[in-house]
């Protein structure tokens, strides 16, 4: 008997599947381009910015694997299994975008950043798996390419909107401790756009029922039993080593008087060791794997291809997070000579950052549709990604040689090409190589290697900036260029059939 196949989607069908990501990325873009600005407007010092950003990656680290695991096992009849998470996350994110610019102080702003990022992650993670659910392997590259185009388009809108509002007459300046009206209106409009775009995907798509997915990909029972047995057979050495590593980091931070945010790294290492130990003990006692056991077992048993891609993700996202945290102080300080957030020149420079971020996202959208398919057919997905990452490294390095802020647009073109490959190529490779019935949890676990470098940057980069170049944050771009180049080198080790 011929194995049934998923319906082949037209361009309109591919667009419906990923259109919600357009709104989700508007939310992420508003966050990435404006949160440092909001924090500085509310009185945060430059070297304290990374600590305030810790909430965002930490939230993704915890939320995405859990949501992936749950959505793999959810079925709510006509509402499906991924779409309920799209909608719930979008509602909470829209509410957060409404409240964020009304924050009376740093505590509320930091809390709303946490809620916003948690909500965006609840919506985003199932969208990655949704493409794999809805498409056969021969359409994965096209599906993730269209998704990347929507990500780029949404990011353009979210990044440039405050700048456009200023041109339309909305005030871009405010007294000390007050967020400008241009940022407030942008956040409110972004919340509405996010909710409406996710509703579009929810209302225009129909998910395959569990019986149909089983027919496409086979029953999961044997794999589940094998995974539980493998977990029970694991020794205690590795979990204890993780616990020891976490304790060592905490002791080192205390002994050397390092930044207190670095305690988080020790806590995460120890937490993973403890979770592994509990999951193994439960498996040995035949109490059932449970969600914790599944997550630990799937993380430890990642396919080799996923492990090699994880290293690439670690380096590339380190560079991106350095950029998101530091671009505003770099541009306002080095190119506008205005490190003071209360000055008009600072606000002008911050709005130019919105234009720069819109540029790299716009280039990414065009690259995903026009450049990447052509390049991948000629040199393969792995080399395409390596070329894109090399372009990103050159873009970061060019910050040191451009004569003025306008020339940074060329830097953003190179970074945009890298961004397009980061968003498309790893997921297209994985979606065709991973077991489809575990696509949600594996995509969530893959996000760990997006989040860990962000946590490392958020906890360590502040110390580096404070001690080595407290008044010259432009040197953070040298770190970004080096780590992006390391990602390109690591990608050359990934072989795709």
């Amino acid at each position: 008997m011929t194995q049934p196949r998923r319906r082949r989607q037209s361009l309109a069908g591919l667009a419906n599947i990923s259109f919600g990501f357009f709104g989700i990325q508007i939310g992420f873009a508003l966050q990435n381009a404006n949160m440092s600005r909001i924090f500085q407007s509310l009185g945060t010092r430059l070297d304290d910015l990374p600590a305030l950003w810790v909430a965002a990656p930490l939230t993704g680290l915890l939320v995405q694997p859990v949501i992936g695991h749950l959505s793999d096992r959810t079925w709510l009849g006509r509402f499906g299994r991924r779409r309920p998470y799209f909608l719930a996350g979008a509602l909470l994110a829209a509410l957060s975008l409404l409240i964020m610019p009304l924050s009376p102080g740093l505590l509320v702003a930091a809390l709303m950043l946490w809620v916003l990022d948690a909500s965006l992650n609840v919506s985003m993670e199932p969208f990655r798996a949704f493409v794999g659910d809805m498409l056969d392997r021969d359409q994965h590259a096209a599906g993730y390419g269209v998704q990347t185009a929507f990500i780029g388009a949404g990011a353009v809108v979210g990044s440039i909107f405050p700048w456009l509002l200023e041109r339309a007459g909305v005030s871009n300046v405010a007294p000390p401790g007050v967020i400008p009206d241009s940022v407030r209106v942008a956040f409110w409009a972004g919340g509405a756009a996010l909710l409406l775009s996710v509703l579009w995907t929810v209302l225009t798509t129909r998910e395959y029922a569990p019986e149909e997915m089983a027919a496409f990909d086979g029953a999961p029972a044997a794999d589940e039993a094998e995974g539980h047995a493998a977990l029970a057979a694991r020794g205690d050495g590795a979990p204890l080593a993780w616990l020891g590593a976490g304790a060592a980091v905490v002791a080192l931070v205390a002994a050397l008087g390092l930044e207190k945010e670095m305690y988080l790294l020790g806590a995460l290492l120890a937490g993973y060791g403890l979770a592994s130990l509990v999951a193994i003990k439960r498996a040995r006692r035949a109490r059932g794997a449970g969600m914790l056991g599944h997550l630990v077992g799937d993380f430890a048993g990642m396919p080799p291809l996923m492990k090699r891609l994880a290293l690439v993700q670690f380096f590339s996202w380190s560079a991106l997070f350095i950029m998101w945290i530091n671009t505003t102080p770099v541009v306002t300080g080095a190119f506008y000579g205005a490190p003071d957030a209360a000055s008009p020149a600072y606000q002008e420079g911050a709005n130019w950052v919105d234009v720069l971020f819109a540029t790299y996202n716009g280039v990414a959208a065009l690259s995903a549709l026009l450049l990447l398919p052509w390049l991948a057919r000629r040199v393969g997905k792995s080399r395409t990604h390596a070329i894109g990452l090399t372009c990103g490294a050159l873009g970061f390095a060019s910050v040191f040689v451009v004569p003025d802020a306008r020339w940074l647009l060329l830097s953003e073109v190179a970074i945009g090409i890298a961004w397009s490959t980061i968003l498309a190529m790893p997921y297209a490779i994985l979606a065709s190589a991973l077991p489809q019935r575990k696509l949600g949890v594996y995509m969530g676990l893959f996000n760990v290697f997006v989040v860990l470098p962000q946590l490392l940057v958020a906890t360590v980069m502040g110390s580096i900036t404070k001690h080595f170049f407290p008044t010259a944050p432009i040197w953070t771009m040298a770190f970004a260029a080096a780590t992006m180049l390391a990602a390109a080198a690591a990608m050359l080790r990934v072989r795709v059939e």
Side-chain angles (χ1 to χ4, degrees), residues 82-160:
R82 313 288 187 194
R83 291 180 298 164
Y85 296 94
F86 300 165
L87 188 56
L91 287 168
L92 290 172
L95 182 62
S96 301
L97 287 167
L98 173 65
I99 298 173
M100 177 79 75
L102 300 174
S103 300
L106 281 174
L107 180 61
V108 175
L111 176 63
M112 293 315 302
L113 173 62
W114 179 81
V115 175
L116 174 62
D117 208 81
S119 306
L120 291 173
N121 275 286
V122 168
S123 284
M124 182 184 74
E125 198 288 328
F127 262 105
R128 292 293 192 193
F130 193 49
V131 173
D133 290 346
M134 300 295 290
L135 304 176
D136 269 330
R137 284 174 169 79
D138 61 352
Q139 281 200 293
H140 283 165
Y144 285 105
V146 170
Q147 188 173 91
T148 298
F150 278 125
I151 292 171
V156 168
V157 173
S159 297
I160 205 171

Side-chain angles (χ1 to χ4, degrees), residues 31-36 39 48-58 113 321 324-325 458:
Q31 170 185 296
N32 292 337
N34 293 285
M35 284 314 301
S36 288
F39 288 145
D48 287 333
L49 283 178
L52 289 170
W53 275 83
V54 164
L58 177 61
L113 173 62
F321 203 60
W324 290 330
I325 291 178

